[in-house]
Amino acid sequence: MTGIDPRRLPEQEVEAAPEDNSPGKERRESEQRFARLSRARYSLSRLFFNFYLLAMGSFVGIAMIADFAISTALQGITDDYAKRFMRGTIVLIEDELQRYPRHQWEKQIKVLDEKFAYRLVLEDLDQVLLPPKQREKLELGDIAIDSHRDIMFHRIRGGDKVLVVGPLSPDLNPEYQRAIPLELRIRLMTWTAIGLGFAVLVWIWIRPIWRDLESLRQTARALGEGRFETRAPAARSNLFALLADTLNGMAERVQKLIAAQRELSSAISHELRTPIARLRFALEMAADTDCRDERQRHWKTMEEDLEELDNLIDSSLTHARFERERPTLNLTSIALVPWLEEEVDDLRILAGQLAVEVDLGHLPPNLMARLDRKSMPYAVRNLLRNAFKYAKTRVRVSAEVQEGLVQIHVEDDGIGVPTDERERIFDAFTRLDRSRDRTSGGYGLGLAIVRQVMEAHGGHASAGESSLGGARFTLSWPG
């Protein structure tokens, strides 16, 4: 115990506890966050009220602004109409007052007031408060209007008395005033009916959306938990139909990629066992023998096994790259005849004693085809290597154009492909039973890569029977 309070030390002298930035902590935090999100769900009532309040508030605000703008624009027209409507009545009242001496006007106006539904009074001119423009009209003997109080003013001829008529509206007249004015009651009833009707419409519209959102959330949660066979149900609203289809397409793609990865890993693990076992056996044999020739033979065997491993890894990586994502093709127009002749010539050395025929007479001499010069050679060369493995004496390469499709045929006089396996043979790691031996079987990746290349070009690869007696493989794509 030193008796030193670490809180009194300078900040730089206090050693902070080391932060745990390990991948394990990040994984745990990610799992906890995902667990919290998985338990959450969309609230229908909250979604409804949020949308309803936003939409209804916007609608009411727009309606009030529009009502104010329209009322302001029509104010002059309304006042002019009311003035012309009341002018006769006001003139008759004025004429009636003119029949009596001025000191009896107050008495007569009270008598007249009892006969009208709106108030009639006399006020002095200097007691009337009006805007300047209306004040000017009043002094000139015209009818002035106070629109806010719904009152009309008219100066009596020959004096400073002003006839005050109104309020004309019953809601503004104190004698007829109700607890809730009629106009306000009508507005309240109208807006209540509009609000209830709008609420029903919003509920009818929002409920399918909530169901779609909840379905998409549950689907996304299932996918996040690794259940990639889960699919989002058909959307009830067109708003989320495209999103549901996109999510299902993504899930299907991810499921296929994971299945392909598992299949690839399993197949590669199986394929690696044989060359590794041979390498181990050759190493043991080379270590146990003193014969130089025997040791050299084992070294050669190991070199072949290493080359086989290298080819397996290269083919697996190529297949995985095409399977993981469709490559970006750089399509260029090239002269097909010289390009195909060059591809065949580059691999003639692998044919050995086989006769390799190139028949391009069915093609126009200057035919230009659009292809990717990086990936298309994979397809052509894999078919040529496949033909060289199985051919007995002859291999024929030909090309033609049919219905707008460029077609390249590679044929051999080998054992051919059974009809029921001509489609399956293009699957990865698929090999015919009679070709499992090391010298001719390969790994079942060559034709899978061929199909991937052709699909990237918008075409397809197919297998059939050759007139030479063996197999005929065809590449077709829109050129």
Side-chain angles (χ1 to χ4, degrees), residues 1 26 28 38 42 47 61 87 97 121 131 136 142 188 209 249 267 273 284 293 301 315 359 380 389 405 444 456 465:
M1 297 289 292
E26 295 180 358
R28 290 192 300 272
S38 299
Y42 286 103
L47 185 65
R87 182 180 297 276
L97 292 176
V121 296
E136 183 180 355
D142 197 1
L188 288 176
I209 292 179
R273 292 174 182 172
E284 293 176 355
D293 293 339
T301 301
S315 299
D359 179 13
V380 175
K389 288 180 182 179
L405 296 178
E465 185 177 355

mmCIF file of all heavy atoms in Angstrom, residues 1 26 28 38 42 47 61 87 97 121 131 136 142 188 209 249 267 273 284 293 301 315 359 380 389 405 444 456 465:
data_model
loop_
_atom_site.group_PDB
_atom_site.id
_atom_site.type_symbol
_atom_site.label_atom_id
_atom_site.label_comp_id
_atom_site.label_asym_id
_atom_site.label_seq_id
_atom_site.Cartn_x
_atom_site.Cartn_y
_atom_site.Cartn_z
ATOM 1 N N MET A 1 0.861 -1.202 0.000
ATOM 2 C CA MET A 1 0.000 0.000 0.000
ATOM 3 C C MET A 1 0.890 1.244 0.000
ATOM 4 O O MET A 1 1.692 1.448 0.902
ATOM 5 C CB MET A 1 -0.907 0.020 1.216
ATOM 6 C CG MET A 1 -1.895 -1.144 1.275
ATOM 7 S SD MET A 1 -3.185 -0.992 0.043
ATOM 8 C CE MET A 1 -4.035 0.428 0.709
ATOM 9 N N GLU A 26 -15.711 -9.051 -30.871
ATOM 10 C CA GLU A 26 -16.538 -8.497 -31.956
ATOM 11 C C GLU A 26 -17.603 -9.493 -32.377
ATOM 12 O O GLU A 26 -18.748 -9.104 -32.649
ATOM 13 C CB GLU A 26 -15.653 -8.136 -33.144
ATOM 14 C CG GLU A 26 -14.669 -7.004 -32.854
ATOM 15 C CD GLU A 26 -13.812 -6.690 -34.067
ATOM 16 O OE1 GLU A 26 -13.971 -7.381 -35.094
ATOM 17 O OE2 GLU A 26 -12.993 -5.764 -33.982
ATOM 18 N N ARG A 28 -18.972 -11.824 -30.444
ATOM 19 C CA ARG A 28 -19.984 -11.883 -29.383
ATOM 20 C C ARG A 28 -20.910 -10.671 -29.438
ATOM 21 O O ARG A 28 -22.122 -10.795 -29.289
ATOM 22 C CB ARG A 28 -19.308 -11.979 -28.011
ATOM 23 C CG ARG A 28 -18.611 -13.311 -27.741
ATOM 24 C CD ARG A 28 -18.236 -13.428 -26.282
ATOM 25 N NE ARG A 28 -17.327 -12.369 -25.865
ATOM 26 C CZ ARG A 28 -15.997 -12.444 -25.951
ATOM 27 N NH1 ARG A 28 -15.432 -13.548 -26.441
ATOM 28 N NH2 ARG A 28 -15.238 -11.454 -25.544
ATOM 29 N N SER A 38 -33.456 -9.692 -33.472
ATOM 30 C CA SER A 38 -34.333 -10.812 -33.801
ATOM 31 C C SER A 38 -35.585 -10.805 -32.944
ATOM 32 O O SER A 38 -36.654 -11.232 -33.390
ATOM 33 C CB SER A 38 -33.574 -12.141 -33.630
ATOM 34 O OG SER A 38 -32.457 -12.199 -34.498
ATOM 35 N N TYR A 42 -42.128 -5.305 -35.832
ATOM 36 C CA TYR A 42 -42.842 -4.098 -36.215
ATOM 37 C C TYR A 42 -44.169 -4.017 -35.449
ATOM 38 O O TYR A 42 -44.888 -5.001 -35.334
ATOM 39 C CB TYR A 42 -43.120 -4.081 -37.716
ATOM 40 C CG TYR A 42 -41.899 -3.795 -38.551
ATOM 41 C CD1 TYR A 42 -41.247 -4.814 -39.228
ATOM 42 C CD2 TYR A 42 -41.406 -2.498 -38.665
ATOM 43 C CE1 TYR A 42 -40.134 -4.555 -39.999
ATOM 44 C CE2 TYR A 42 -40.295 -2.233 -39.430
ATOM 45 C CZ TYR A 42 -39.657 -3.259 -40.102
ATOM 46 O OH TYR A 42 -38.556 -3.003 -40.856
ATOM 47 N N LEU A 47 -47.013 1.865 -36.325
ATOM 48 C CA LEU A 47 -46.902 2.162 -37.748
ATOM 49 C C LEU A 47 -48.141 2.897 -38.244
ATOM 50 O O LEU A 47 -48.041 3.874 -39.002
ATOM 51 C CB LEU A 47 -46.708 0.861 -38.527
ATOM 52 C CG LEU A 47 -46.443 0.980 -40.031
ATOM 53 C CD1 LEU A 47 -45.126 1.671 -40.288
ATOM 54 C CD2 LEU A 47 -46.447 -0.413 -40.672
ATOM 55 N N GLY A 61 -53.251 20.593 -42.492
ATOM 56 C CA GLY A 61 -52.460 21.800 -42.695
ATOM 57 C C GLY A 61 -52.640 22.375 -44.088
ATOM 58 O O GLY A 61 -52.828 23.592 -44.255
ATOM 59 N N ARG A 87 -77.841 46.806 -49.311
ATOM 60 C CA ARG A 87 -77.975 48.246 -49.569
ATOM 61 C C ARG A 87 -79.444 48.693 -49.498
ATOM 62 O O ARG A 87 -79.779 49.729 -48.886
ATOM 63 C CB ARG A 87 -77.386 48.577 -50.944
ATOM 64 C CG ARG A 87 -77.450 50.079 -51.265
ATOM 65 C CD ARG A 87 -76.862 50.340 -52.636
ATOM 66 N NE ARG A 87 -75.464 49.981 -52.667
ATOM 67 C CZ ARG A 87 -74.476 50.772 -52.273
ATOM 68 N NH1 ARG A 87 -74.769 51.966 -51.776
ATOM 69 N NH2 ARG A 87 -73.230 50.380 -52.347
ATOM 70 N N LEU A 97 -85.725 56.678 -40.684
ATOM 71 C CA LEU A 97 -85.220 57.588 -39.661
ATOM 72 C C LEU A 97 -85.388 59.038 -40.083
ATOM 73 O O LEU A 97 -85.642 59.927 -39.239
ATOM 74 C CB LEU A 97 -83.753 57.280 -39.353
ATOM 75 C CG LEU A 97 -83.474 55.937 -38.665
ATOM 76 C CD1 LEU A 97 -81.967 55.723 -38.508
ATOM 77 C CD2 LEU A 97 -84.162 55.871 -37.300
ATOM 78 N N VAL A 121 -78.136 49.637 -34.327
ATOM 79 C CA VAL A 121 -77.817 50.691 -33.346
ATOM 80 C C VAL A 121 -77.293 51.898 -34.102
ATOM 81 O O VAL A 121 -76.898 51.803 -35.272
ATOM 82 C CB VAL A 121 -76.794 50.217 -32.294
ATOM 83 C CG1 VAL A 121 -77.352 49.097 -31.448
ATOM 84 C CG2 VAL A 121 -75.508 49.812 -32.970
ATOM 85 N N PRO A 131 -60.670 50.194 -40.511
ATOM 86 C CA PRO A 131 -59.437 50.399 -41.266
ATOM 87 C C PRO A 131 -59.548 51.669 -42.112
ATOM 88 O O PRO A 131 -60.653 52.122 -42.457
ATOM 89 C CB PRO A 131 -59.331 49.142 -42.130
ATOM 90 C CG PRO A 131 -60.159 48.120 -41.437
ATOM 91 C CD PRO A 131 -61.269 48.886 -40.783
ATOM 92 N N GLU A 136 -62.689 55.706 -45.022
ATOM 93 C CA GLU A 136 -62.869 56.661 -46.110
ATOM 94 C C GLU A 136 -64.206 56.443 -46.809
ATOM 95 O O GLU A 136 -64.925 57.407 -47.134
ATOM 96 C CB GLU A 136 -61.714 56.514 -47.104
ATOM 97 C CG GLU A 136 -61.765 57.517 -48.256
ATOM 98 C CD GLU A 136 -60.601 57.335 -49.214
ATOM 99 O OE1 GLU A 136 -59.706 56.492 -48.918
ATOM 100 O OE2 GLU A 136 -60.584 58.014 -50.254
ATOM 101 N N ASP A 142 -70.722 55.942 -48.302
ATOM 102 C CA ASP A 142 -70.866 54.573 -48.811
ATOM 103 C C ASP A 142 -70.978 53.607 -47.628
ATOM 104 O O ASP A 142 -70.801 53.982 -46.465
ATOM 105 C CB ASP A 142 -69.670 54.218 -49.685
ATOM 106 C CG ASP A 142 -69.938 53.006 -50.555
ATOM 107 O OD1 ASP A 142 -71.067 52.469 -50.489
ATOM 108 O OD2 ASP A 142 -69.016 52.585 -51.294
ATOM 109 N N LEU A 188 -66.366 20.861 -37.211
ATOM 110 C CA LEU A 188 -65.979 19.725 -36.372
ATOM 111 C C LEU A 188 -66.585 18.423 -36.901
ATOM 112 O O LEU A 188 -65.897 17.386 -36.979
ATOM 113 C CB LEU A 188 -66.414 19.959 -34.931
ATOM 114 C CG LEU A 188 -65.628 21.013 -34.147
ATOM 115 C CD1 LEU A 188 -66.246 21.209 -32.767
ATOM 116 C CD2 LEU A 188 -64.162 20.600 -34.015
ATOM 117 N N ILE A 209 -49.202 -3.750 -45.686
ATOM 118 C CA ILE A 209 -47.809 -3.307 -45.649
ATOM 119 C C ILE A 209 -47.134 -3.820 -44.386
ATOM 120 O O ILE A 209 -45.989 -4.288 -44.414
ATOM 121 C CB ILE A 209 -47.744 -1.769 -45.734
ATOM 122 C CG1 ILE A 209 -48.204 -1.311 -47.114
ATOM 123 C CG2 ILE A 209 -46.337 -1.255 -45.446
ATOM 124 C CD1 ILE A 209 -48.199 0.190 -47.293
ATOM 125 N N GLY A 249 -34.472 -14.041 -54.335
ATOM 126 C CA GLY A 249 -33.387 -14.308 -55.276
ATOM 127 C C GLY A 249 -32.032 -14.309 -54.603
ATOM 128 O O GLY A 249 -31.175 -15.149 -54.907
ATOM 129 N N ALA A 267 -15.498 -32.284 -52.305
ATOM 130 C CA ALA A 267 -14.901 -32.955 -53.464
ATOM 131 C C ALA A 267 -13.388 -32.781 -53.503
ATOM 132 O O ALA A 267 -12.647 -33.717 -53.809
ATOM 133 C CB ALA A 267 -15.535 -32.415 -54.739
ATOM 134 N N ARG A 273 -6.902 -36.764 -51.421
ATOM 135 C CA ARG A 273 -6.427 -37.937 -50.690
ATOM 136 C C ARG A 273 -5.554 -38.840 -51.558
ATOM 137 O O ARG A 273 -4.504 -39.332 -51.115
ATOM 138 C CB ARG A 273 -7.619 -38.721 -50.153
ATOM 139 C CG ARG A 273 -8.378 -37.992 -49.061
ATOM 140 C CD ARG A 273 -9.640 -38.748 -48.680
ATOM 141 N NE ARG A 273 -10.403 -38.026 -47.666
ATOM 142 C CZ ARG A 273 -11.606 -38.377 -47.269
ATOM 143 N NH1 ARG A 273 -12.193 -39.440 -47.820
ATOM 144 N NH2 ARG A 273 -12.235 -37.670 -46.343
ATOM 145 N N GLU A 284 8.137 -42.809 -48.774
ATOM 146 C CA GLU A 284 8.588 -43.937 -47.948
ATOM 147 C C GLU A 284 9.424 -44.921 -48.773
ATOM 148 O O GLU A 284 10.455 -45.431 -48.306
ATOM 149 C CB GLU A 284 7.371 -44.636 -47.343
ATOM 150 C CG GLU A 284 6.625 -43.777 -46.323
ATOM 151 C CD GLU A 284 5.369 -44.481 -45.824
ATOM 152 O OE1 GLU A 284 5.071 -45.578 -46.355
ATOM 153 O OE2 GLU A 284 4.699 -43.924 -44.915
ATOM 154 N N ASP A 293 18.215 -45.825 -59.622
ATOM 155 C CA ASP A 293 17.153 -45.836 -60.641
ATOM 156 C C ASP A 293 15.766 -45.921 -59.995
ATOM 157 O O ASP A 293 14.817 -45.261 -60.438
ATOM 158 C CB ASP A 293 17.353 -47.018 -61.596
ATOM 159 C CG ASP A 293 18.625 -46.862 -62.437
ATOM 160 O OD1 ASP A 293 19.098 -45.697 -62.558
ATOM 161 O OD2 ASP A 293 19.131 -47.873 -62.940
ATOM 162 N N THR A 301 7.484 -40.034 -60.001
ATOM 163 C CA THR A 301 6.090 -40.237 -59.588
ATOM 164 C C THR A 301 5.609 -39.095 -58.708
ATOM 165 O O THR A 301 4.475 -38.610 -58.848
ATOM 166 C CB THR A 301 5.961 -41.565 -58.838
ATOM 167 O OG1 THR A 301 6.394 -42.637 -59.682
ATOM 168 C CG2 THR A 301 4.520 -41.810 -58.410
ATOM 169 N N SER A 315 -7.740 -25.708 -61.284
ATOM 170 C CA SER A 315 -9.100 -25.919 -61.798
ATOM 171 C C SER A 315 -10.149 -25.571 -60.754
ATOM 172 O O SER A 315 -11.196 -24.976 -61.072
ATOM 173 C CB SER A 315 -9.270 -27.381 -62.241
ATOM 174 O OG SER A 315 -8.370 -27.709 -63.279
ATOM 175 N N ASP A 359 -12.316 -27.912 -89.606
ATOM 176 C CA ASP A 359 -13.225 -27.686 -90.722
ATOM 177 C C ASP A 359 -14.017 -26.402 -90.460
ATOM 178 O O ASP A 359 -14.982 -26.400 -89.700
ATOM 179 C CB ASP A 359 -14.169 -28.879 -90.881
ATOM 180 C CG ASP A 359 -15.151 -28.686 -92.030
ATOM 181 O OD1 ASP A 359 -14.925 -27.760 -92.839
ATOM 182 O OD2 ASP A 359 -16.136 -29.451 -92.103
ATOM 183 N N VAL A 380 -12.847 -23.479 -75.015
ATOM 184 C CA VAL A 380 -12.357 -24.189 -76.200
ATOM 185 C C VAL A 380 -11.253 -25.170 -75.816
ATOM 186 O O VAL A 380 -11.240 -26.341 -76.240
ATOM 187 C CB VAL A 380 -11.875 -23.179 -77.248
ATOM 188 C CG1 VAL A 380 -11.254 -23.899 -78.444
ATOM 189 C CG2 VAL A 380 -13.032 -22.289 -77.711
ATOM 190 N N LYS A 389 -8.175 -36.732 -74.637
ATOM 191 C CA LYS A 389 -8.129 -37.823 -73.661
ATOM 192 C C LYS A 389 -8.871 -39.054 -74.156
ATOM 193 O O LYS A 389 -8.441 -40.189 -73.954
ATOM 194 C CB LYS A 389 -8.732 -37.367 -72.330
ATOM 195 C CG LYS A 389 -7.881 -36.392 -71.544
ATOM 196 C CD LYS A 389 -8.598 -36.016 -70.256
ATOM 197 C CE LYS A 389 -7.784 -34.994 -69.462
ATOM 198 N NZ LYS A 389 -8.476 -34.601 -68.220
ATOM 199 N N LEU A 405 -26.738 -17.697 -83.864
ATOM 200 C CA LEU A 405 -25.840 -18.208 -82.836
ATOM 201 C C LEU A 405 -24.565 -18.748 -83.480
ATOM 202 O O LEU A 405 -24.626 -19.497 -84.457
ATOM 203 C CB LEU A 405 -26.508 -19.321 -82.023
ATOM 204 C CG LEU A 405 -27.738 -18.939 -81.206
ATOM 205 C CD1 LEU A 405 -28.304 -20.172 -80.514
ATOM 206 C CD2 LEU A 405 -27.402 -17.869 -80.178
ATOM 207 N N GLY A 444 -13.420 -33.802 -63.187
ATOM 208 C CA GLY A 444 -14.806 -33.430 -63.434
ATOM 209 C C GLY A 444 -15.055 -31.938 -63.334
ATOM 210 O O GLY A 444 -16.180 -31.517 -63.073
ATOM 211 N N ALA A 456 -21.866 -17.185 -68.996
ATOM 212 C CA ALA A 456 -21.440 -15.790 -68.877
ATOM 213 C C ALA A 456 -21.553 -15.062 -70.202
ATOM 214 O O ALA A 456 -21.780 -13.848 -70.241
ATOM 215 C CB ALA A 456 -20.004 -15.728 -68.352
ATOM 216 N N GLU A 465 -23.963 -36.829 -79.877
ATOM 217 C CA GLU A 465 -23.269 -37.948 -80.531
ATOM 218 C C GLU A 465 -22.617 -37.452 -81.815
ATOM 219 O O GLU A 465 -23.215 -36.717 -82.593
ATOM 220 C CB GLU A 465 -24.255 -39.068 -80.835
ATOM 221 C CG GLU A 465 -23.609 -40.315 -81.409
ATOM 222 C CD GLU A 465 -24.615 -41.435 -81.631
ATOM 223 O OE1 GLU A 465 -25.791 -41.258 -81.236
ATOM 224 O OE2 GLU A 465 -24.221 -42.471 -82.197
#
